[in-house]
Amino acid sequence: MRGRGNARSSRALGVSWYPATWHPRLDMGRLHRPRSSTSHGNLPHLFLFFLFVEPFSCLASHSRATELLYSLNEGLPEGVLIGSLAEDLRLLPRSAGRLDPHSQLPERTGAEWNPPLSFSLASRGLSGQYVTLDNRSGELHTSAQEIDREALCLEGGGGTAWGGSVSISSSPSSDSCLLLLDVLVLPQEYFRFVKVKIAIRDINDNAPQFPVSQISVWVPENAPVNTRLAIEHPAVDPDVGINGVQTYRLLDYHGMFTLDVEENENGERTPYLIVMGALDRETQDQYVSIIIAEDGGSPPLLGSATLTIGISDINDNCPLFTDSQINVTVYGNATVGTPIAAVQAVDKDLGTNAQITYSYSQKVPQASKDLFHLDENTGVIKLFNKIGGSVLQSHKLTILANGPGCIPAVITALVSVIKVIFRPPEIVPRYIANEIDGVVYLKELEPVNTPIAFFTIRDPEGKYKVNCYLDGEGPFRLSPYKPYNNEYLLETTKPMDYELQQFYEVAVVAWNSEGFHVKRVIKVQLLDDNDNAPIFLQPLIELTIEENNSPNAFLTKLYATDADSGERGQVSYFLGPDAPSYFSLDSVTGILTVSTQLDREEKEKYRYTVRAVDCGKPPRESVATVALTVLDKNDNSPRFINKDFSFFVPENFPGYGEIGVISVTDADAGRNGWVALSVVNQSDIFVIDTGKGMLRAKVSLDREQQSSYTLWVEAVDGGEPALSSTAKITILLLDINDNPPLVLFPQSNMSYLLVLPSTLPGSPVTEVYAVDKDTGMNAVIAYSIIGRRGPRPESFRIDPKTGNITLEEALLQTDYGLHRLLVKVSDHGYPEPLHSTVMVNLFVNDTVSNESYIESLLRKEPEINIEEKEPQISIEPTHRKVESVSCMPTLVALSVISLGSITLVTGMGIYICLRKGKKHPREDENLEVQIPLKGKIDLHMRERKPMDISNI
């Protein structure tokens, strides 16, 4: 059946449903029985069936509140069937059929509710985001919003972990993660309010994770075996139940530790570190391992952290001396405060556990204690009093090293005193330089041989010769000061530099012939002077900045050093006088900024000086040069030198000939200034060279087909993003005389006209009409008769301007017959005029009685002598004038030709209109004068048909 099939597909994806009217505790023994079991396994379905299958007449009188419970795994894809409310609520009409004894579900027969049922969510809260409800079938499906149990139920907690993906007979526990839906079943007469609960079952989609990556545990070094220490920061797994953290282990136990896991009443598992061996901090103070947390999923997921086990110190070691006795010798003339020996004990513990104090044993006589002082912290023994004549020559000093909670360590110092019978030499200083508390102060700029002090060297006994010398390094010299004996002068030997060395210590040593030595220490402290100017790290500071920078943009931080000390070494920074006003330099920090936007196209390089000045008196300074280069940005579009370009090109210009140069510039530099030109429109005819900007025509241009062209040329730079601009290009084609006049009338050399003998002299007989496709002088036409044949053909004359043929003399009896006039139609083109010819046939007779005879005459080749006389018209002098002024500039010539073309076109238009308005017998003959001679012209005067010419 349909309902059972849907249920099986849902369960295969981890979906289970439970009718709310049946509780699993009522039938716990049948929770996981297969569907193929006995009829007892279908008890919930049967119960649900009897609950909802009732007379439907009752549904209209009262509504029901019903509850359904489903369960599904988290993370299911979109479209998974959760359940069918219509089937699970048994909302089938009574006529739907009989009960199937195997499924206990009504068997569909095709009957439906009338009106049909409708299912809808009462409200679309958070739960409604995760499911979709078919309002016709009542089927619930998962939506595109994936269900994440851990995100949905932040408080955690999970339902009972059922085995397998389907459990019809189990119900989630009270702490389940539930989606709650309120579903309305309509229409009103079948109204039901259904509460749907969807329990979200956990899957193992989260690995355990420790809250910190480093975990530290401290263990006392005296911790006994089996000591248990809780490890703080246990791992956390958002999953629940068996999918949560189950166990812990160490990657390396070091043979000293193991792990145990304890679970409290809430099910939380805490790892414990157990000590398995004796620890000694002095042998190893730290153990590092990796702690791993593992959940119970299949397959299990792991999390890890670094576990550092520190061994804390206890006071398990006492001070020890390396020796038990030391021997010390002291001379009777030793200076008070002179160290004579030092003892040192060692304690392997740390901190307060290793603190050692030194003291004399109670066995040491008080006289020895008074003569030799023992430092309780350092163990240094010093001569405390001057050795007199009654002082014992041997002293036994028993010294104790005391530690906290320890038995003192003992060492014995045997001190032997050697008495001196003779008094040592004496050194008496008399300082010349400034001396305070035994320190002599000199300025670093003192000259060479600056005296420091006089020293008087003498023997108190007056018996022995005393010598002296200077001990120590430094620019000093100790020399006898003559003429006095035993007087010595200490002075400098070279200039001293405070920046190289500030302090010197030398000693004046005197000794006599008995070998007794006396030393007098002299300390010399140099005083700094402002003898150093600040020094820039680089004398030339090269900087770059992009143009269009923001105001107060940072350029660099200047840094200068001054070897002097104190205020003399403090450096302030200032701009040089050549620096532009919009640059700023902080005098304290040395930060250089520019307060305005820089434009590379306006100025690309700046070069000015900066000063570093110290605070000495007088101050010293140094100068560095700042070289700032403004880097280009693509902030300028290409610019044409003209908005519009016009070129005059003679027609029939050869293909790919150079028409003209399109000049364009771009103020930017580098790639930003590279300009590529292209023709936007009519690119099939014209092309432009990107490099030179040369405009060319791909084909030869004919003015008679098109007299001008308008192009748009686009210039695009190489910036990113690219900028562009366009310019209008007008190309005007200049006419050349490449078209001969085209005779439109007569239509052919075989046409003829009947001329009556009674025609009066001066009467127009016919006309020759021609046109020229050229313009200007090239289209000015002249007519002339260049050949005649007939009885008296000179009786006819042609007007050179209009082409009208008139009768000059009265016709005689002898003039009867065919008169043939060869008319030359010539233009006034330059440099070579072009022409056409036409034969005008005039038949002088009263009537046309024999057309075949006339046609035979026309078919004969006429023998006509060609007259070389050219037609003379009034415009010819102007033509000759143009020829004579061949050296006139091209621009003037073109202007004249253009003006003449306009005038001629206007005149021809007026002429044609006037001719069309004449009431003349030939009015209808010339209706189609624009049609070429070779075409078929339907004129009233047909070929070879005469037309009467009379005096009327």
Side-chain angles (χ1 to χ4, degrees):
M1 290 185 181
R2 176 179 176 274
R4 292 169 60 89
N6 288 341
R8 283 194 296 271
S9 63
S10 301
R11 291 162 186 150
L13 289 172
V15 181
S16 305
W17 69 273
Y18 310 89
T21 55
W22 170 82
H23 199 280
R25 294 178 181 176
L26 300 178
D27 197 6
M28 293 299 292
R30 294 183 294 273
L31 283 176
H32 299 288
R33 293 188 179 181
R35 294 181 57 86
S36 60
S37 62
T38 61
S39 60
H40 296 285
N42 294 322
L43 180 59
H45 298 277
L46 188 60
F47 184 83
L48 188 64
F49 175 77
F50 284 115
L51 180 64
F52 293 110
V53 178
E54 295 181 2
F56 287 96
S57 59
C58 300
L59 294 176
S61 61
H62 66 278
S63 61
R64 295 182 182 180
T66 310
E67 185 175 290
L68 290 179
L69 181 60
Y70 297 93
S71 68
L72 75 160
N73 292 343
E74 61 174 326
L76 294 179
E78 180 183 4
V80 174
L81 177 63
I82 300 173
S84 174
L85 272 64
E87 294 183 0
D88 296 338
L89 293 174
R90 302 297 190 269
L91 294 181
L92 298 174
R94 185 178 297 275
S95 60
R98 58 181 177 83
L99 290 179
D100 185 347
H102 296 288
S103 64
Q104 297 187 4
L105 292 175
E107 194 174 66
R108 279 189 177 271
T109 60
E112 299 291 343
W113 292 97
N114 187 18
L117 296 179
S118 173
F119 299 85
S120 62
L121 294 175
S123 63
R124 295 196 61 86
L126 178 62
S127 300
Q129 299 177 7
Y130 298 98
V131 298
T132 59
L133 175 62
D134 191 311
N135 61 350
R136 292 298 182 189
S137 65
E139 291 184 346
L140 273 175
H141 294 83
T142 56
S143 68
Q145 180 72 31
E146 183 179 293
I147 299 176
D148 185 355
R149 184 185 184 283
E150 289 73 36
L152 187 62
C153 301
L154 298 179
E155 297 299 326
T160 304
W162 302 288
S165 61
V166 178
S167 180
I168 302 268
S169 56
S170 179
S171 174
S173 60
S174 60
D175 57 352
S176 295
C177 178
L178 297 176
L179 289 179
L180 304 178
L181 304 173
D182 292 337
V183 180
L184 301 178
V185 182
L186 297 174
Q188 185 64 33
E189 55 266 29
Y190 309 132
F191 173 76
R192 285 184 183 241
F193 181 74
V194 183
K195 287 187 172 292
V196 178
K197 295 182 180 180
I198 304 175
I200 309 303
R201 293 188 301 213
D202 182 49
I203 64 173
N204 192 27
D205 57 343
N206 292 280
Q209 185 175 4
F210 287 91
V212 294
S213 60
Q214 299 281 343
I215 302 175
S216 297
V217 177
W218 288 95
V219 182
E221 63 176 324
N222 63 342
V225 176
N226 294 327
T227 299
R228 299 170 64 87
L229 299 170
I231 297 178
E232 297 181 359
H233 311 295
V236 178
D237 193 329
D239 296 326
V240 296
I242 193 66
N243 295 328
V245 177
Q246 298 298 316
T247 184
Y248 293 86
R249 68 175 185 271
L250 290 181
L251 195 62
D252 185 0
Y253 292 93
H254 296 282
M256 302 295 293
F257 305 97
T258 187
L259 278 184
D260 189 18
V261 180
E262 292 186 3
E263 183 176 357
N264 60 16
E265 296 178 354
N266 297 326
E268 298 176 351
R269 299 173 184 266
T270 303
Y272 279 81
L273 181 69
I274 302 176
V275 179
M276 300 300 294
L279 302 175
D280 186 3
R281 188 204 64 80
E282 288 72 31
T283 302
Q284 184 170 348
D285 61 352
Q286 181 178 277
Y287 298 87
V288 179
S289 184
I290 302 297
I291 183 171
I292 299 173
E294 181 177 334
D295 63 20
S298 180
L301 301 179
L302 307 177
S304 64
T306 300
L307 177 64
T308 301
I309 305 171
I311 309 303
S312 58
D313 184 54
I314 64 170
N315 191 24
D316 57 346
N317 291 279
C318 290
L320 293 175
F321 286 108
T322 57
D323 298 318
S324 61
Q325 179 178 309
I326 60 173
N327 297 317
V328 180
T329 300
V330 179
Y331 290 95
N333 61 346
T335 305
V336 174
T338 301
I340 63 171
V343 295
Q344 185 176 11
V346 177
D347 192 328
K348 294 182 180 180
D349 292 327
L350 295 176
T352 57
N353 295 330
Q355 289 182 355
I356 301 175
T357 59
Y358 300 93
S359 62
Y360 284 126
S361 171
Q362 295 180 358
K363 298 178 181 180
V364 178
Q366 188 62 41
S368 297
K369 294 180 180 179
D370 295 337
L371 185 59
F372 303 104
H373 177 266
L374 174 62
D375 191 304
E376 66 176 4
N377 294 318
T378 63
V380 175
I381 304 172
K382 294 182 180 180
L383 183 63
F384 192 67
N385 289 309
K386 190 174 182 180
I387 299 176
S390 60
V391 174
L392 297 176
Q393 295 184 358
S394 179
H395 298 266
K396 182 179 181 181
L397 305 178
T398 302
I399 301 172
L400 306 178
N402 305 293
C406 290
I407 299 175
V410 180
I411 190 172
T412 301
L414 298 178
V415 181
S416 299
V417 178
I418 299 176
K419 293 187 178 181
V420 178
I421 300 175
F422 303 101
R423 297 173 62 187
E426 293 180 353
I427 301 175
V428 180
R430 297 189 301 277
Y431 292 101
I432 302 172
N434 185 26
E435 182 267 338
I436 301 175
D437 296 333
V439 180
V440 177
Y441 294 91
L442 293 177
K443 292 184 178 180
E444 64 173 327
L445 298 181
E446 292 289 352
V448 179
N449 300 326
T450 297
I452 298 175
F454 277 110
F455 292 90
T456 301
I457 310 299
R458 63 189 178 188
D459 181 20
E461 302 291 336
K463 299 178 182 181
Y464 307 101
K465 181 181 179 180
V466 179
N467 295 314
C468 69
Y469 65 92
L470 188 64
D471 184 27
E473 296 181 356
F476 306 104
R477 178 177 57 224
L478 182 66
S479 58
Y481 190 74
K482 297 180 180 180
Y484 303 103
N485 294 325
N486 298 330
E487 295 289 339
Y488 295 86
L489 177 65
L490 179 64
E491 58 186 353
T492 61
T493 58
K494 63 180 181 180
M496 292 177 288
D497 191 348
Y498 175 86
E499 287 70 39
L500 296 178
Q501 188 169 345
Q502 296 86 32
F503 184 79
Y504 297 90
E505 184 173 314
V506 295
V508 177
V509 180
W511 82 96
N512 59 19
S513 57
E514 296 297 325
F516 288 100
H517 291 73
V518 176
K519 181 186 293 186
R520 185 67 178 236
V521 177
I522 308 300
K523 298 178 181 179
V524 179
Q525 174 67 56
L526 291 186
L527 300 177
D528 187 29
D529 204 345
N530 192 29
D531 60 337
N532 292 280
I535 300 176
F536 283 100
L537 295 180
Q538 295 175 335
L540 177 61
I541 305 169
E542 295 181 332
L543 306 174
T544 59
I545 186 174
E546 281 194 342
E547 63 176 329
N548 304 330
N549 56 282
S550 58
N552 300 316
F554 172 84
L555 294 177
T556 189
K557 177 178 173 59
L558 302 180
Y559 185 71
T561 59
D562 194 319
D564 295 324
S565 62
E567 293 183 352
R568 292 171 291 276
Q570 294 180 0
V571 181
S572 299
Y573 302 91
F574 303 95
L575 290 172
D578 55 344
S581 59
Y582 39 83
F583 288 95
S584 300
L585 179 58
D586 190 290
S587 61
V588 177
T589 63
I591 294 178
L592 180 64
T593 58
V594 56
S595 60
T596 186
Q597 280 192 351
L598 300 180
D599 188 355
R600 189 204 65 83
E601 290 72 36
E602 180 179 339
K603 188 172 183 179
E604 182 178 6
K605 294 184 179 295
Y606 295 86
R607 193 180 184 93
Y608 53 89
T609 56
V610 290
R611 298 184 302 128
V613 183
D614 63 21
C615 297
K617 294 181 181 180
R620 291 177 176 266
E621 70 175 47
S622 62
V623 177
T625 301
V626 174
L628 175 63
T629 301
V630 182
L631 302 180
D632 184 55
K633 291 181 68 175
N634 194 27
D635 58 342
N636 291 277
S637 300
R639 292 186 60 185
F640 292 92
I641 60 173
N642 298 316
K643 294 183 178 178
D644 298 327
F645 291 83
S646 297
F647 297 102
F648 293 90
V649 180
E651 65 174 329
N652 301 331
F653 196 68
Y656 291 96
E658 297 180 352
I659 296 176
V661 176
I662 310 299
S663 298
V664 61
T665 61
D666 194 315
D668 294 322
R671 292 188 60 87
N672 297 332
W674 296 353
V675 179
L677 296 172
S678 61
V679 178
V680 177
N681 62 324
Q682 302 204 34
S683 58
D684 56 332
I685 301 177
F686 297 94
V687 67
I688 191 167
D689 296 341
T690 298
K692 298 180 180 179
M694 180 63 69
L695 182 64
R696 304 174 188 269
K698 298 180 181 179
V699 297
S700 180
L701 305 179
D702 188 356
R703 190 205 61 80
E704 284 71 36
Q705 293 183 2
Q706 186 170 342
S707 61
S708 65
Y709 294 88
T710 300
L711 313 178
W712 290 95
V713 173
E714 181 181 36
V716 181
D717 62 24
E720 185 64 35
L723 301 178
S724 64
S725 60
T726 57
K728 181 181 178 183
I729 312 297
T730 302
I731 300 175
L732 301 174
L733 297 182
L734 301 178
D735 184 53
I736 64 172
N737 194 26
D738 59 342
N739 291 282
L742 179 64
V743 178
L744 301 181
F745 187 83
Q747 298 179 15
S748 72
N749 292 333
M750 302 299 291
S751 301
Y752 68 91
L753 293 172
L754 177 64
V755 180
L756 297 178
S758 60
T759 302
L760 297 177
S763 300
V765 177
T766 186
E767 70 171 346
V768 177
Y769 182 71
V771 295
D772 197 316
K773 294 182 180 180
D774 296 322
T775 60
M777 298 297 295
N778 298 328
V780 177
I781 298 176
Y783 302 89
S784 62
I785 299 175
I786 61 172
R788 305 169 184 264
R789 185 175 177 81
R792 196 159 57 94
E794 62 273 8
S795 301
F796 300 95
R797 186 184 68 83
I798 190 168
D799 190 299
K801 292 184 179 180
T802 64
N804 291 333
I805 298 177
T806 58
L807 180 65
E808 288 292 309
E809 301 175 0
L811 296 174
L812 304 176
Q813 190 70 27
T814 58
D815 294 333
Y816 281 66
L818 182 64
H819 296 255
R820 310 195 74 175
L821 306 177
L822 180 60
V823 178
K824 179 180 179 181
V825 183
S826 176
D827 61 23
H828 285 70
Y830 177 82
E832 184 69 28
L834 302 178
H835 70 274
S836 300
T837 59
V838 64
M839 186 69 74
V840 178
N841 300 305
L842 303 175
F843 186 68
V844 178
N845 200 7
D846 293 325
T847 60
V848 178
S849 58
N850 192 352
E851 291 186 4
S852 60
Y853 170 72
I854 299 175
E855 292 176 357
S856 64
L857 294 177
L858 293 175
R859 281 194 292 270
K860 294 181 179 179
E861 284 291 332
E863 297 180 1
I864 299 177
N865 295 325
I866 304 300
E867 301 175 4
E868 296 300 330
K869 182 180 179 181
E870 294 291 332
Q872 300 293 325
I873 59 176
S874 60
I875 202 166
E876 210 173 60
T878 304
H879 178 68
R880 289 195 301 271
K881 182 178 180 180
V882 172
E883 290 182 351
S884 64
V885 194
S886 60
C887 61
M888 185 177 296
T890 303
L891 183 61
V892 177
L894 295 176
S895 301
V896 172
I897 293 174
S898 300
L899 182 61
S901 300
I902 296 173
T903 304
L904 181 62
V905 171
T906 304
M908 290 185 65
I910 296 174
Y911 174 74
I912 294 172
C913 293
L914 291 176
R915 289 193 58 82
K916 288 183 178 180
K918 289 182 179 181
K919 302 298 183 179
H920 194 274
R922 291 192 301 272
E923 178 181 1
D924 295 333
E925 299 173 14
N926 301 308
L927 292 176
E928 301 181 14
V929 296
Q930 300 294 332
I931 302 176
L933 187 63
K934 295 181 180 180
K936 296 182 179 180
I937 303 175
D938 186 15
L939 300 176
H940 291 286
M941 186 198 78
R942 297 177 301 164
E943 294 185 358
R944 301 184 299 276
K945 295 299 181 180
M947 182 181 70
D948 294 338
I949 304 296
S950 64
N951 296 329
I952 301 175

